[in-house]
Amino acid sequence: MTTTAHAHPLLRLQGIHKSFGDSQVLKGIDLDITVGEVVCLIGASGSGKTTLLRCVNRLEVPTAGRVILDRELIGEYTRRNRLVPLPPGELAKQRASIGMVFQHFNLFGNKTAIENIIEGPTQVTRTPKHIAQQAAMELLDRVGLAEKADSYPRQLSGGQQQRVAIARALAMSPKLMLFDEPTSALDPEIVGEVLDVMRSLASDGMTMLVVTHEMSFARDVADRVVFMDDGVIVEQGPPNELLSAPRHERTRRFLSRLL
């Protein structure tokens, strides 16, 4: 965890709304995350947490509002005093600054672990293959899987696949890491090996926005916990305060089912 009182916001979400047809999923989210901060998003299924993450890296386009990363507007630029979408190639470069780890790994099944990891650097940033491979081996070693470089996803456990997915995201040297319930698809006995990698990233100063139901992880690692319900932020604060003495009835109700 890090002290962030005087740091500038690395990520700034301003008035984020998102609707799917008549269903309004996000209803005006404002959130700043400072450099090196770990923020855990908690809330019931359907509260908008995953949609918010997907708006950050433009997998979903917000209906309204702005996403700013390191003072740069994500997904849009100003032309003749109007905001217009970035061309796909420019958006891909922006996304390289935002690593995302999904619930279900999303590895390429026909590529080995190391091939999955070098895909982004070689295709997006045109890193020479031998340099990308050397960096990938260092990342595999970092997540405890150096011996699995030539293994295919089907040959790996769920926890190993998720650690490869984390290494793949780190290969782009992101400024921000997004985690969307990274342990929810794992057997309970292997959840810890993924959380240990995430704890290591946090201790190294990686800025992280984590959707999770792992309250012990949120309590131990987060600088701040944000509780969402029905598309809004209900309350937020240091984990020991929010998880032990929530101010709002909605938060108390949610936590009473988990703690």
PDB file of all heavy atoms in Angstrom, residues 161-186:
ATOM      1  N   GLN A 161      -3.036 -20.475 -15.498  1.00  0.00           N
ATOM      2  CA  GLN A 161      -3.511 -19.684 -16.629  1.00  0.00           C
ATOM      3  C   GLN A 161      -3.694 -18.218 -16.226  1.00  0.00           C
ATOM      4  O   GLN A 161      -3.343 -17.309 -16.993  1.00  0.00           O
ATOM      5  CB  GLN A 161      -4.826 -20.250 -17.160  1.00  0.00           C
ATOM      6  CG  GLN A 161      -4.685 -21.568 -17.892  1.00  0.00           C
ATOM      7  CD  GLN A 161      -5.992 -22.021 -18.502  1.00  0.00           C
ATOM      8  OE1 GLN A 161      -6.541 -21.354 -19.378  1.00  0.00           O
ATOM      9  NE2 GLN A 161      -6.507 -23.159 -18.041  1.00  0.00           N
ATOM     10  N   GLN A 162      -4.253 -17.994 -15.041  1.00  0.00           N
ATOM     11  CA  GLN A 162      -4.471 -16.607 -14.617  1.00  0.00           C
ATOM     12  C   GLN A 162      -3.156 -15.896 -14.363  1.00  0.00           C
ATOM     13  O   GLN A 162      -3.020 -14.700 -14.660  1.00  0.00           O
ATOM     14  CB  GLN A 162      -5.368 -16.574 -13.371  1.00  0.00           C
ATOM     15  CG  GLN A 162      -5.942 -15.210 -13.040  1.00  0.00           C
ATOM     16  CD  GLN A 162      -6.831 -14.652 -14.135  1.00  0.00           C
ATOM     17  OE1 GLN A 162      -6.363 -14.356 -15.253  1.00  0.00           O
ATOM     18  NE2 GLN A 162      -8.105 -14.504 -13.844  1.00  0.00           N
ATOM     19  N   ARG A 163      -2.152 -16.613 -13.872  1.00  0.00           N
ATOM     20  CA  ARG A 163      -0.846 -15.979 -13.686  1.00  0.00           C
ATOM     21  C   ARG A 163      -0.191 -15.659 -15.024  1.00  0.00           C
ATOM     22  O   ARG A 163       0.481 -14.627 -15.166  1.00  0.00           O
ATOM     23  CB  ARG A 163       0.053 -16.882 -12.840  1.00  0.00           C
ATOM     24  CG  ARG A 163      -0.310 -16.832 -11.348  1.00  0.00           C
ATOM     25  CD  ARG A 163       0.676 -17.607 -10.507  1.00  0.00           C
ATOM     26  NE  ARG A 163       0.414 -19.039 -10.533  1.00  0.00           N
ATOM     27  CZ  ARG A 163       1.316 -19.966 -10.237  1.00  0.00           C
ATOM     28  NH1 ARG A 163       2.568 -19.621  -9.951  1.00  0.00           N
ATOM     29  NH2 ARG A 163       0.993 -21.250 -10.250  1.00  0.00           N
ATOM     30  N   VAL A 164      -0.398 -16.516 -16.034  1.00  0.00           N
ATOM     31  CA  VAL A 164       0.078 -16.182 -17.379  1.00  0.00           C
ATOM     32  C   VAL A 164      -0.652 -14.941 -17.889  1.00  0.00           C
ATOM     33  O   VAL A 164      -0.044 -14.051 -18.512  1.00  0.00           O
ATOM     34  CB  VAL A 164      -0.124 -17.365 -18.350  1.00  0.00           C
ATOM     35  CG1 VAL A 164       0.165 -16.941 -19.788  1.00  0.00           C
ATOM     36  CG2 VAL A 164       0.769 -18.539 -17.962  1.00  0.00           C
ATOM     37  N   ALA A 165      -1.952 -14.851 -17.626  1.00  0.00           N
ATOM     38  CA  ALA A 165      -2.718 -13.687 -18.066  1.00  0.00           C
ATOM     39  C   ALA A 165      -2.202 -12.404 -17.408  1.00  0.00           C
ATOM     40  O   ALA A 165      -2.147 -11.346 -18.049  1.00  0.00           O
ATOM     41  CB  ALA A 165      -4.204 -13.890 -17.747  1.00  0.00           C
ATOM     42  N   ILE A 166      -1.814 -12.497 -16.141  1.00  0.00           N
ATOM     43  CA  ILE A 166      -1.237 -11.335 -15.466  1.00  0.00           C
ATOM     44  C   ILE A 166       0.090 -10.962 -16.118  1.00  0.00           C
ATOM     45  O   ILE A 166       0.365  -9.783 -16.394  1.00  0.00           O
ATOM     46  CB  ILE A 166      -1.060 -11.608 -13.963  1.00  0.00           C
ATOM     47  CG1 ILE A 166      -2.433 -11.739 -13.287  1.00  0.00           C
ATOM     48  CG2 ILE A 166      -0.240 -10.493 -13.302  1.00  0.00           C
ATOM     49  CD1 ILE A 166      -2.363 -12.219 -11.840  1.00  0.00           C
ATOM     50  N   ALA A 167       0.934 -11.962 -16.394  1.00  0.00           N
ATOM     51  CA  ALA A 167       2.214 -11.696 -17.060  1.00  0.00           C
ATOM     52  C   ALA A 167       1.989 -11.076 -18.432  1.00  0.00           C
ATOM     53  O   ALA A 167       2.721 -10.167 -18.844  1.00  0.00           O
ATOM     54  CB  ALA A 167       3.022 -12.991 -17.175  1.00  0.00           C
ATOM     55  N   ARG A 168       0.981 -11.555 -19.149  1.00  0.00           N
ATOM     56  CA  ARG A 168       0.672 -10.995 -20.474  1.00  0.00           C
ATOM     57  C   ARG A 168       0.315  -9.516 -20.362  1.00  0.00           C
ATOM     58  O   ARG A 168       0.769  -8.689 -21.179  1.00  0.00           O
ATOM     59  CB  ARG A 168      -0.473 -11.770 -21.112  1.00  0.00           C
ATOM     60  CG  ARG A 168      -0.886 -11.241 -22.484  1.00  0.00           C
ATOM     61  CD  ARG A 168      -2.021 -12.041 -23.093  1.00  0.00           C
ATOM     62  NE  ARG A 168      -3.235 -11.976 -22.279  1.00  0.00           N
ATOM     63  CZ  ARG A 168      -4.372 -12.584 -22.591  1.00  0.00           C
ATOM     64  NH1 ARG A 168      -4.455 -13.325 -23.684  1.00  0.00           N
ATOM     65  NH2 ARG A 168      -5.431 -12.474 -21.800  1.00  0.00           N
ATOM     66  N   ALA A 169      -0.497  -9.160 -19.368  1.00  0.00           N
ATOM     67  CA  ALA A 169      -0.857  -7.754 -19.192  1.00  0.00           C
ATOM     68  C   ALA A 169       0.357  -6.916 -18.815  1.00  0.00           C
ATOM     69  O   ALA A 169       0.529  -5.790 -19.298  1.00  0.00           O
ATOM     70  CB  ALA A 169      -1.945  -7.632 -18.123  1.00  0.00           C
ATOM     71  N   LEU A 170       1.231  -7.459 -17.982  1.00  0.00           N
ATOM     72  CA  LEU A 170       2.416  -6.721 -17.556  1.00  0.00           C
ATOM     73  C   LEU A 170       3.413  -6.529 -18.684  1.00  0.00           C
ATOM     74  O   LEU A 170       4.236  -5.606 -18.645  1.00  0.00           O
ATOM     75  CB  LEU A 170       3.093  -7.454 -16.396  1.00  0.00           C
ATOM     76  CG  LEU A 170       2.331  -7.497 -15.073  1.00  0.00           C
ATOM     77  CD1 LEU A 170       3.049  -8.413 -14.086  1.00  0.00           C
ATOM     78  CD2 LEU A 170       2.172  -6.101 -14.495  1.00  0.00           C
ATOM     79  N   ALA A 171       3.356  -7.391 -19.705  1.00  0.00           N
ATOM     80  CA  ALA A 171       4.309  -7.310 -20.808  1.00  0.00           C
ATOM     81  C   ALA A 171       4.225  -5.987 -21.553  1.00  0.00           C
ATOM     82  O   ALA A 171       5.186  -5.589 -22.224  1.00  0.00           O
ATOM     83  CB  ALA A 171       4.091  -8.472 -21.781  1.00  0.00           C
ATOM     84  N   MET A 172       3.088  -5.309 -21.454  1.00  0.00           N
ATOM     85  CA  MET A 172       2.925  -4.020 -22.133  1.00  0.00           C
ATOM     86  C   MET A 172       3.391  -2.844 -21.279  1.00  0.00           C
ATOM     87  O   MET A 172       3.200  -1.684 -21.645  1.00  0.00           O
ATOM     88  CB  MET A 172       1.462  -3.836 -22.531  1.00  0.00           C
ATOM     89  CG  MET A 172       0.933  -4.915 -23.463  1.00  0.00           C
ATOM     90  SD  MET A 172       1.821  -5.003 -25.023  1.00  0.00           S
ATOM     91  CE  MET A 172       1.275  -3.482 -25.809  1.00  0.00           C
ATOM     92  N   SER A 173       3.987  -3.141 -20.125  1.00  0.00           N
ATOM     93  CA  SER A 173       4.450  -2.105 -19.187  1.00  0.00           C
ATOM     94  C   SER A 173       3.348  -1.083 -18.897  1.00  0.00           C
ATOM     95  O   SER A 173       3.520   0.126 -19.105  1.00  0.00           O
ATOM     96  CB  SER A 173       5.701  -1.391 -19.727  1.00  0.00           C
ATOM     97  OG  SER A 173       6.750  -2.307 -19.937  1.00  0.00           O
ATOM     98  N   PRO A 174       2.202  -1.548 -18.412  1.00  0.00           N
ATOM     99  CA  PRO A 174       1.066  -0.647 -18.234  1.00  0.00           C
ATOM    100  C   PRO A 174       1.274   0.339 -17.087  1.00  0.00           C
ATOM    101  O   PRO A 174       1.995   0.059 -16.123  1.00  0.00           O
ATOM    102  CB  PRO A 174      -0.090  -1.602 -17.924  1.00  0.00           C
ATOM    103  CG  PRO A 174       0.580  -2.771 -17.265  1.00  0.00           C
ATOM    104  CD  PRO A 174       1.893  -2.922 -17.980  1.00  0.00           C
ATOM    105  N   LYS A 175       0.606   1.469 -17.198  1.00  0.00           N
ATOM    106  CA  LYS A 175       0.573   2.430 -16.096  1.00  0.00           C
ATOM    107  C   LYS A 175      -0.459   2.026 -15.052  1.00  0.00           C
ATOM    108  O   LYS A 175      -0.335   2.392 -13.878  1.00  0.00           O
ATOM    109  CB  LYS A 175       0.227   3.826 -16.632  1.00  0.00           C
ATOM    110  CG  LYS A 175       1.218   4.389 -17.624  1.00  0.00           C
ATOM    111  CD  LYS A 175       0.724   5.720 -18.179  1.00  0.00           C
ATOM    112  CE  LYS A 175       1.699   6.276 -19.210  1.00  0.00           C
ATOM    113  NZ  LYS A 175       1.206   7.557 -19.810  1.00  0.00           N
ATOM    114  N   LEU A 176      -1.480   1.300 -15.505  1.00  0.00           N
ATOM    115  CA  LEU A 176      -2.607   0.934 -14.658  1.00  0.00           C
ATOM    116  C   LEU A 176      -2.980  -0.512 -14.945  1.00  0.00           C
ATOM    117  O   LEU A 176      -3.007  -0.930 -16.103  1.00  0.00           O
ATOM    118  CB  LEU A 176      -3.806   1.842 -14.974  1.00  0.00           C
ATOM    119  CG  LEU A 176      -5.168   1.481 -14.380  1.00  0.00           C
ATOM    120  CD1 LEU A 176      -5.172   1.716 -12.870  1.00  0.00           C
ATOM    121  CD2 LEU A 176      -6.270   2.317 -15.052  1.00  0.00           C
ATOM    122  N   MET A 177      -3.281  -1.274 -13.882  1.00  0.00           N
ATOM    123  CA  MET A 177      -3.753  -2.640 -14.036  1.00  0.00           C
ATOM    124  C   MET A 177      -5.194  -2.740 -13.559  1.00  0.00           C
ATOM    125  O   MET A 177      -5.528  -2.302 -12.459  1.00  0.00           O
ATOM    126  CB  MET A 177      -2.872  -3.610 -13.252  1.00  0.00           C
ATOM    127  CG  MET A 177      -1.531  -3.906 -13.893  1.00  0.00           C
ATOM    128  SD  MET A 177      -1.648  -5.012 -15.336  1.00  0.00           S
ATOM    129  CE  MET A 177      -1.974  -6.579 -14.545  1.00  0.00           C
ATOM    130  N   LEU A 178      -6.041  -3.339 -14.403  1.00  0.00           N
ATOM    131  CA  LEU A 178      -7.432  -3.599 -14.062  1.00  0.00           C
ATOM    132  C   LEU A 178      -7.597  -5.102 -13.852  1.00  0.00           C
ATOM    133  O   LEU A 178      -7.134  -5.899 -14.671  1.00  0.00           O
ATOM    134  CB  LEU A 178      -8.362  -3.142 -15.193  1.00  0.00           C
ATOM    135  CG  LEU A 178      -8.215  -1.708 -15.686  1.00  0.00           C
ATOM    136  CD1 LEU A 178      -9.164  -1.464 -16.869  1.00  0.00           C
ATOM    137  CD2 LEU A 178      -8.494  -0.702 -14.571  1.00  0.00           C
ATOM    138  N   PHE A 179      -8.269  -5.485 -12.775  1.00  0.00           N
ATOM    139  CA  PHE A 179      -8.548  -6.884 -12.492  1.00  0.00           C
ATOM    140  C   PHE A 179     -10.048  -7.054 -12.311  1.00  0.00           C
ATOM    141  O   PHE A 179     -10.640  -6.423 -11.432  1.00  0.00           O
ATOM    142  CB  PHE A 179      -7.836  -7.338 -11.208  1.00  0.00           C
ATOM    143  CG  PHE A 179      -6.340  -7.375 -11.294  1.00  0.00           C
ATOM    144  CD1 PHE A 179      -5.586  -6.242 -11.038  1.00  0.00           C
ATOM    145  CD2 PHE A 179      -5.677  -8.548 -11.615  1.00  0.00           C
ATOM    146  CE1 PHE A 179      -4.195  -6.273 -11.104  1.00  0.00           C
ATOM    147  CE2 PHE A 179      -4.289  -8.592 -11.689  1.00  0.00           C
ATOM    148  CZ  PHE A 179      -3.548  -7.452 -11.431  1.00  0.00           C
ATOM    149  N   ASP A 180     -10.657  -7.905 -13.129  1.00  0.00           N
ATOM    150  CA  ASP A 180     -12.101  -8.133 -13.047  1.00  0.00           C
ATOM    151  C   ASP A 180     -12.368  -9.495 -12.410  1.00  0.00           C
ATOM    152  O   ASP A 180     -12.374 -10.522 -13.079  1.00  0.00           O
ATOM    153  CB  ASP A 180     -12.729  -8.073 -14.442  1.00  0.00           C
ATOM    154  CG  ASP A 180     -14.246  -8.160 -14.385  1.00  0.00           C
ATOM    155  OD1 ASP A 180     -14.816  -8.011 -13.287  1.00  0.00           O
ATOM    156  OD2 ASP A 180     -14.865  -8.383 -15.440  1.00  0.00           O
ATOM    157  N   GLU A 181     -12.539  -9.492 -11.094  1.00  0.00           N
ATOM    158  CA  GLU A 181     -12.784 -10.720 -10.335  1.00  0.00           C
ATOM    159  C   GLU A 181     -11.825 -11.836 -10.772  1.00  0.00           C
ATOM    160  O   GLU A 181     -12.257 -12.915 -11.226  1.00  0.00           O
ATOM    161  CB  GLU A 181     -14.237 -11.157 -10.464  1.00  0.00           C
ATOM    162  CG  GLU A 181     -15.206 -10.130  -9.887  1.00  0.00           C
ATOM    163  CD  GLU A 181     -16.623 -10.674  -9.717  1.00  0.00           C
ATOM    164  OE1 GLU A 181     -16.770 -11.880  -9.479  1.00  0.00           O
ATOM    165  OE2 GLU A 181     -17.572  -9.887  -9.833  1.00  0.00           O
ATOM    166  N   PRO A 182     -10.525 -11.614 -10.639  1.00  0.00           N
ATOM    167  CA  PRO A 182      -9.540 -12.540 -11.230  1.00  0.00           C
ATOM    168  C   PRO A 182      -9.510 -13.911 -10.584  1.00  0.00           C
ATOM    169  O   PRO A 182      -8.906 -14.831 -11.144  1.00  0.00           O
ATOM    170  CB  PRO A 182      -8.219 -11.803 -11.017  1.00  0.00           C
ATOM    171  CG  PRO A 182      -8.458 -10.923  -9.828  1.00  0.00           C
ATOM    172  CD  PRO A 182      -9.881 -10.486  -9.954  1.00  0.00           C
ATOM    173  N   THR A 183     -10.131 -14.078  -9.418  1.00  0.00           N
ATOM    174  CA  THR A 183     -10.095 -15.386  -8.757  1.00  0.00           C
ATOM    175  C   THR A 183     -11.449 -16.089  -8.740  1.00  0.00           C
ATOM    176  O   THR A 183     -11.552 -17.212  -8.248  1.00  0.00           O
ATOM    177  CB  THR A 183      -9.610 -15.247  -7.300  1.00  0.00           C
ATOM    178  OG1 THR A 183     -10.513 -14.400  -6.575  1.00  0.00           O
ATOM    179  CG2 THR A 183      -8.213 -14.646  -7.252  1.00  0.00           C
ATOM    180  N   SER A 184     -12.484 -15.475  -9.291  1.00  0.00           N
ATOM    181  CA  SER A 184     -13.830 -16.035  -9.110  1.00  0.00           C
ATOM    182  C   SER A 184     -14.048 -17.323  -9.896  1.00  0.00           C
ATOM    183  O   SER A 184     -14.938 -18.112  -9.568  1.00  0.00           O
ATOM    184  CB  SER A 184     -14.894 -15.004  -9.497  1.00  0.00           C
ATOM    185  OG  SER A 184     -14.795 -14.683 -10.866  1.00  0.00           O
ATOM    186  N   ALA A 185     -13.240 -17.565 -10.934  1.00  0.00           N
ATOM    187  CA  ALA A 185     -13.396 -18.793 -11.717  1.00  0.00           C
ATOM    188  C   ALA A 185     -12.443 -19.900 -11.254  1.00  0.00           C
ATOM    189  O   ALA A 185     -12.374 -20.950 -11.882  1.00  0.00           O
ATOM    190  CB  ALA A 185     -13.162 -18.505 -13.201  1.00  0.00           C
ATOM    191  N   LEU A 186     -11.739 -19.675 -10.162  1.00  0.00           N
ATOM    192  CA  LEU A 186     -10.717 -20.611  -9.712  1.00  0.00           C
ATOM    193  C   LEU A 186     -11.231 -21.483  -8.573  1.00  0.00           C
ATOM    194  O   LEU A 186     -12.054 -21.058  -7.761  1.00  0.00           O
ATOM    195  CB  LEU A 186      -9.474 -19.852  -9.234  1.00  0.00           C
ATOM    196  CG  LEU A 186      -8.795 -18.925 -10.242  1.00  0.00           C
ATOM    197  CD1 LEU A 186      -7.619 -18.226  -9.593  1.00  0.00           C
ATOM    198  CD2 LEU A 186      -8.357 -19.700 -11.483  1.00  0.00           C
TER     199      LEU A 186
END
